[in-house]
Amino acid sequence: MRTPQQERSRATQARLLAATIECLVERGWAGTTTTLIAERAGVSRGAQLHHYPTKGDLVLAAVGHLAERRAAELRAEADALPDDRRQRLDRVIDMLAAAFTGPLFVAALELWVAARTDPDLRRALVPLEARIGREMHRLTVDLLGADERRPRVRETVQATLDLLRGLGVANLLNDDSPRRNPVLTAWKHQLAAALPG
């Protein structure tokens, strides 16, 4: 059983992680500071330092936490997916496309760009992104009901994730849905043919 102190500590961490993602989305990597995060989270700078001694620690924890939360949300949404194979595939692609235009994706992109020129951040980020990438691939396989033992299915699932990631990048500066939606519709047709039921 958790003590009141443990509960307060968990609540503080949750507020810091949420504030970190908000700051990354609104201000980018360069504009995100631990002082700003602590202020937004409503916690003292000392409390922030106690839980996450560096900006890198805090940001990586926030991205990892949000990725886990988003995967859990996608799994929960999967309970309401239609049984019809084609309708299910369409809905799964729509769910994943939303994930690749949401706050987690925007925050992750901020980190990827910063890590390109920051060796310490890159060393910490690469294993986290590898884990998140594996988990997203596995989740996609599960949601689509894909059988990766069949030829080219693994590559098709990965191509789907790569396509969605690219469309997410194209959506960063303005709403790219007029172009994105027809591309997704065409991909859904390709995917239905490529993933035998």
Side-chain angles (χ1 to χ4, degrees):
M1 186 170 176
R2 291 191 191 115
T3 66
Q5 176 57 37
Q6 289 172 320
E7 289 298 330
R8 283 193 300 274
S9 180
R10 289 175 67 83
T12 297
Q13 289 175 357
R15 287 196 310 274
L16 284 165
L17 297 177
T20 301
I21 296 298
E22 291 169 7
C23 286
L24 280 172
V25 170
E26 291 173 16
R27 297 175 178 257
W29 171 260
T32 296
T33 66
T34 53
T35 302
L36 181 63
I37 293 167
E39 182 180 295
R40 181 172 287 214
V43 303
S44 71
R45 181 89 165 96
Q48 176 264 303
L49 289 169
H50 170 73
H51 292 291
Y52 304 101
T54 70
K55 177 181 175 180
D57 294 335
L58 181 52
V59 169
L60 292 170
V63 169
H65 170 75
L66 188 57
E68 290 170 11
R69 194 178 87 204
R70 186 62 187 128
E73 289 169 357
L74 287 169
R75 288 192 191 282
E77 288 178 49
D79 292 340
L81 287 172
D83 291 331
D84 177 80
R85 182 178 174 277
R86 181 53 197 258
Q87 289 177 353
R88 180 181 182 90
L89 184 144
D90 287 355
R91 183 66 193 113
V92 167
I93 297 304
D94 292 342
M95 288 166 46
L96 293 171
F100 280 100
T101 54
L104 170 60
F105 185 70
V106 173
L109 281 180
E110 285 293 330
L111 290 182
W112 296 347
V113 171
R116 188 182 70 78
T117 57
D118 183 328
D120 293 333
L121 181 59
R122 184 171 51 249
R123 271 191 297 280
L125 184 60
V126 166
L128 174 65
E129 282 298 324
R131 180 178 60 82
I132 291 171
R134 285 189 305 273
E135 290 169 2
M136 182 59 94
H137 185 95
R138 174 57 38 212
L139 176 62
T140 304
V141 166
D142 292 347
L143 292 174
L144 290 171
D147 182 356
E148 287 191 303
R149 295 172 298 184
R150 298 183 79 135
R152 295 179 298 283
V153 168
R154 178 171 180 70
E155 293 80 6
T156 300
V157 170
Q158 191 58 51
T160 300
L161 293 171
D162 291 345
L163 171 70
L164 293 169
R165 186 177 298 111
L167 291 172
V169 170
N171 198 64
L172 277 177
L173 299 179
N174 57 31
D175 180 9
D176 194 47
S177 55
R179 186 182 71 86
R180 182 176 64 246
N181 292 338
V183 170
L184 287 176
T185 298
W187 185 250
K188 289 173 186 178
H189 290 294
Q190 294 290 327
L191 199 54
L195 298 179

